[in-house]
Amino acid sequence: MDTSEIIKKVRKIEIKARGLSQNIFAGQYHSAFKGRGMAFSEVREYQYGDDVRDIDWNVTARFHRPYVKVFEEERELTVMLLVDVSGSLDFGTVRQTKREMVTEIAATLAFSAIQNNDKIGVIFFSDRIEKYIPPKKGRRHILYIIRELLDFKPASVRTDVGMAVSYLTRMMKRRTTAFLLSDFYTRDDFTKAMQIANSKHDMVAIQVYDPRAKMLPDIGLMKVLDAETGHEMIIDTGSAKLRQAHTRYWVEREDRLHTLFAKSKVDWTSVATNENFTKALMLLFKKRA
């Protein structure tokens, strides 16, 4: 992709993502993702019913009557996007590839974050950490992130979700809101890594999938390629037994994912590449509000 084409795509994604974050997600994002805790705001005179643990003894001694510290929620967050850049994300049979949808979702979340005055960073991962972009604020920083999402070339095509989640736990010292964006085609069981990460941070998972992963069309012989192993084979989609086995595999895989996120106490949503991701994000935000 040449520079002018990247700039056009960045601009197009910016317009869409900024519009969504301003017009649709503004209030929902704010209420769904809470600040790190309580920050000191001011002192005032003690009133009946105030917690005696909040008394500011220095001010009380100075004025010879009790004063209490007043706290308010500390709104500013650090948001991290954990973005799967493995080979399976390049697959797409309908309107767009999984990677293109992940880019749009990531951009929308990024614009929602800076509108809320949050810092945003990114971890690109395959079966290794491909790139780490430290959290910062501002439009220029987000445009740089979108450019990287569009044009990033990973060193590996395989996936290891648990490794990426463990890296987040080690890297981020303060509590962070982290969005994990992936199709979750991974052979590792990342339950433990997710549980540890979610005890320290606020983890949210977003699965992006192609509708053909759920149900094969009846179109006869089809060549399929595993983007992460390079294995290629011909399958006969005219076989009802094969199509049923394919759907059964999908349902079992989704059940395992559902169980994993439930055990980890992680909120998650799933969206197909032929669907509008706005609805999925809105439902996710409302569930958390």
Side-chain angles (χ1 to χ4, degrees):
M1 204 186 297
D2 63 34
T3 306
S4 62
E5 197 180 342
I6 290 172
I7 291 168
K8 272 187 204 167
K9 284 203 167 191
V10 169
R11 183 66 184 140
K12 188 177 174 185
I13 288 173
E14 181 193 7
I15 291 167
K16 180 176 180 179
R18 192 193 278 274
L20 285 172
S21 63
Q22 287 175 347
N23 302 325
I24 299 174
F25 298 131
Q28 295 288 344
Y29 174 92
H30 183 90
S31 58
F33 301 100
K34 308 292 189 261
R36 280 195 299 267
M38 305 304 285
F40 173 71
S41 175
E42 60 180 348
V43 292
R44 61 163 171 75
E45 279 196 61
Y46 178 87
Q47 295 171 2
Y48 178 75
D50 284 339
D51 192 330
V52 293
R53 289 172 296 184
D54 292 335
I55 292 176
D56 187 320
W57 295 106
N58 290 330
V59 178
T60 296
R62 198 179 314 147
F63 290 101
H64 306 293
R65 54 183 184 273
Y67 275 77
V68 292
K69 293 176 182 175
V70 178
F71 296 85
E72 61 183 26
E73 188 183 18
E74 191 178 3
R75 273 300 324 164
E76 186 182 294
L77 293 170
T78 295
V79 177
M80 288 299 299
L81 303 176
L82 278 73
V83 180
D84 184 351
V85 290
S86 61
S88 62
L89 271 290
D90 288 319
F91 182 72
T93 61
V94 284
R95 289 188 321 200
Q96 58 185 169
T97 65
K98 289 182 277 187
R99 191 183 303 282
E100 287 166 340
M101 177 166 269
V102 162
T103 298
E104 288 192 6
I105 294 172
T108 303
L109 291 170
F111 277 111
S112 297
I114 61 159
Q115 202 172 311
N116 204 51
N117 202 34
D118 299 335
K119 290 188 286 188
I120 183 120
V122 184
I123 295 169
F124 291 100
F125 72 93
S126 54
D127 62 350
R128 65 194 74 180
I129 300 303
E130 296 277 355
K131 186 175 181 115
Y132 169 65
I133 301 175
K136 285 184 190 173
K137 293 182 185 180
R139 177 176 172 267
R140 284 182 65 186
H141 179 61
I142 288 183
L143 294 182
Y144 167 64
I145 287 171
I146 296 171
R147 204 159 56 241
E148 286 296 296
L149 285 163
L150 284 168
D151 204 39
F152 188 77
K153 303 288 188 294
S156 174
V157 293
R158 295 176 182 269
T159 317
D160 188 335
V161 174
M163 174 277 312
V165 172
S166 297
Y167 179 82
L168 172 83
T169 303
R170 293 193 309 273
M171 176 62 69
M172 305 306 292
K173 303 304 178 192
R174 301 185 72 178
R175 186 168 174 81
T176 297
T177 295
F179 293 94
L180 175 58
L181 291 90
S182 176
D183 57 6
F184 296 104
Y185 278 102
T186 181
R187 288 171 175 79
D188 68 300
D189 179 359
F190 56 97
T191 310
K192 190 70 178 170
M194 219 43 177
Q195 287 172 332
I196 293 168
N198 200 42
S199 67
K200 183 180 177 184
H201 302 296
D202 181 10
M203 298 293 298
V204 181
I206 300 171
Q207 179 194 26
V208 172
Y209 69 91
D210 188 279
R212 295 282 169 90
K214 198 174 188 177
M215 191 175 293
L216 277 176
D218 182 359
I219 55 172
L221 295 177
M222 178 192 285
K223 185 188 283 187
V224 292
L225 171 73
D226 186 327
E228 299 199 5
T229 64
H231 180 66
E232 190 176 272
M233 62 187 291
I234 304 288
I235 61 171
D236 181 10
T237 63
S239 163
K241 193 178 278 188
L242 182 138
R243 293 197 307 275
Q244 286 163 9
H246 179 85
T247 301
R248 192 162 54 247
Y249 169 77
W250 167 264
V251 170
E252 288 169 359
R253 188 174 163 273
E254 290 301 287
D255 284 347
R256 284 196 300 273
L257 262 183
H258 192 96
T259 301
L260 187 154
F261 291 130
K263 275 185 183 175
S264 310
K265 297 189 168 102
V266 168
D267 291 323
W268 76 301
T269 191
S270 187
V271 58
T273 53
N274 63 340
E275 293 174 345
N276 185 338
F277 67 81
T278 308
K279 187 178 176 185
L281 286 190
M282 285 291 283
L283 287 172
L284 177 67
F285 288 0
K286 279 179 182 173
K287 186 165 68 176
R288 293 176 54 90

